[in-house]
Amino acid sequence: MMNRYRSPICFSIRMYHDNSYFNLCKINECSKRKSYNACNQRVDVRNQSGILSPLQKLGTTKRTYCDDRSEVRVRFAPSPTGFLHLGGLRTALYNYIFAQKHGGAFILRLEDTDQSRLVPGAAERIEDMLEWAGVLPDESPRRGGPFGPYLQSQRLELYEDVAKHLVEKGAAYYCFCSPQRLELLKKEALRNRQTPRYDNRCRHLTRQQVDSKLAQKQAPVIRFRLEDGVEPFEDLVYGWTKHEVAKVEGDPVILKTDGFPTYHLANVVDDHHMKISHILRGTEWLISTSKHLLMYKALGWKPPIFGHLPLLLNKDGSKLSKRQGDIFLEHFAERGYLPEALLDIVTNCGSGFIENRVGRTLRELISEFDVTRITTHSALIDLEKLPEFNRVHLLQKINSSEQREALVKHLKIQIEQTYGGQLSDQEVLQPEYIARILLLRKGHIASLQELLLPQYSYLWIRPSVSRDELLNVSAEVDTIIQLVSKLIDVDSANLTNETINTELKALQKKVKNTNYGTMMKVVRLVLSGQQKGPSVAEMMISLGPKEVCSRLQRVSCSK
């Protein structure tokens, strides 16, 4: 089993998730599994012999196929050779939505067979970030399930048994070629400007030759025997397709000398034994699907239905790269972005939904999803728009009393961490006070972290402004403070932006030598210690009558 270590960020993310912050409730989690009839319309083609299909004979060029699988089971199978990024989140989300749409199960399986490239802690972090995003697996390494274990490194015996079974059937064979020979083949192909490929030398070894090499303790790999005549398959996104892999590739390794399988064997074996009904994965695996279907055929297994999702690219069409650093979910979580905003933007830039609009919740994404609407066009994501997506989703949360309460709890923790002993008093940590700040700034801020920036520090700590500094602005400081104090005392129960602005303009007429703008500068400095920021009226409402009077009196008492 994986250790339960979590880095500080993952621990805090999990804590907020447990407090319902960032928590997207799983829809129909306990609902009865429904049977699914996978029907899809795609343009048909003639088969290789040119014979029209039955539907074409009836005068239609569209094909409707239905599948009789009783339960939808999909999986997200990342490799813990890195942390979860936007492309992985999008793939996981489409699978999760598909399962939820059809009352099925969403499985997280970690493909950790490439032991040399594993990143410590990545397996834990991937599941942490899926939970943070609200894309909750029904079965996973952490949650368990009836078809576990869900780490491939714990299923090695199964892969070995299947690989040896393929050898016994003649569909695979032992290969004893040394790394040096394989490297020479590669160099020779590159020298001749050809694509490197294995020359299938060991598929021609006799049984006696194989037994002799095994007796000499030569450690072989097992290769799958590719055959010509690949049958076409209908992809949910790309329609009918096939790739004659035997014509362009050498026989692939399916079991390495260390006993670990390669992706091609492990994913076929696991998808079968975990009863995966549909595979939604990146389009980079489309070419390999014909190879996988040959394995299903050799094993006598019914393959799942495949759908290959178009790539998620940068807005300029370049590939998202892990080297960018800012595409990992931890990056967005640390900067205060809401998971709802990320789910919205990675689906908004692509296809598969009735309409694309900003502000969709996970519930709405599930309701509006239609797999037949997924196109082959790459999805171009513009991360410069993410703050606007976040602003919209933050506004929705603030407007919801239940979700606002969770935001208040989170912001309180952040305030304590940021300002600590500088806090004016504990009243600024009261839920009512923080909630009032959120309601006043909703629509103006794109993230909660903005309220922790220096321009909003006046909300949490009392400014230190000298009397001399105020006198440099206006010699009538005492008069201004006295008038504003009376305004707060008389009308504290009816303070609104409109009434305060009206009263302040009226007060200015009682000041002899200070214009309105200068008077506002004095009041702003007294309240916040800053010359810029929200309006004075908004500051007064945010702080409340008691705190406004306290700050005004501090200046009066400093004579």
Side-chain angles (χ1 to χ4, degrees), residues 86-228:
L86 289 177
L89 174 65
R90 177 171 171 267
T91 301
L93 178 59
Y94 272 77
N95 278 278
Y96 176 80
I97 289 175
F98 188 84
Q100 289 291 318
K101 183 83 173 181
H102 302 294
F106 169 59
I107 293 91
L108 172 65
R109 184 178 73 222
L110 295 176
E111 301 191 340
D112 61 342
T113 56
D114 191 348
Q115 296 285 294
S116 64
R117 297 178 57 223
L118 294 184
V119 174
E124 274 283 293
R125 296 276 285 274
I126 287 172
E127 195 155 0
D128 282 336
M129 297 315 296
L130 284 177
E131 291 180 1
W132 171 77
V135 182
L136 306 176
D138 297 287
E139 304 165 26
S140 72
R142 180 177 297 162
R143 291 171 178 258
F147 299 98
Y150 296 90
L151 276 170
Q152 287 188 336
S153 59
Q154 297 174 3
R155 301 168 64 86
L156 299 184
E157 186 176 347
L158 175 61
Y159 307 131
E160 183 180 4
D161 288 345
V162 173
K164 289 182 176 179
H165 174 67
L166 288 171
V167 171
E168 291 170 1
K169 289 188 62 177
Y173 58 90
Y174 291 107
C175 173
F176 300 89
C177 291
S178 66
Q180 292 79 11
R181 180 178 186 275
L182 297 177
E183 183 63 26
L184 287 174
L185 284 176
K186 179 180 177 180
K187 288 181 178 179
E188 182 66 20
L190 293 174
R191 188 181 303 114
N192 295 324
R193 298 182 179 181
Q194 297 174 345
T195 301
R197 55 183 291 186
Y198 178 57
D199 59 0
N200 299 344
R201 175 182 180 179
C202 287
R203 71 149 63 184
H204 305 295
L205 293 175
T206 65
R207 180 64 179 269
Q208 291 74 23
Q209 289 174 314
V210 170
D211 290 342
S212 174
K213 291 179 180 294
L214 290 175
Q216 297 171 25
K217 304 299 183 182
Q218 294 187 31
V221 299
I222 294 180
R223 291 181 181 271
F224 180 71
R225 190 187 298 267
L226 296 180
E227 302 292 352
D228 292 329

Side-chain angles (χ1 to χ4, degrees), residues 495-527:
L495 293 179
T496 64
N497 272 306
E498 186 176 352
T499 58
I500 292 176
N501 285 325
T502 301
E503 294 294 337
L504 288 174
K505 288 179 181 178
L507 289 181
Q508 189 273 328
K509 297 177 181 178
K510 299 179 182 181
V511 182
K512 295 181 180 179
N513 301 313
T514 305
N515 60 34
Y516 180 73
T518 303
M519 187 180 84
M520 289 299 96
K521 187 175 182 179
V522 171
V523 179
R524 182 187 295 277
L525 282 170
V526 171
L527 297 180

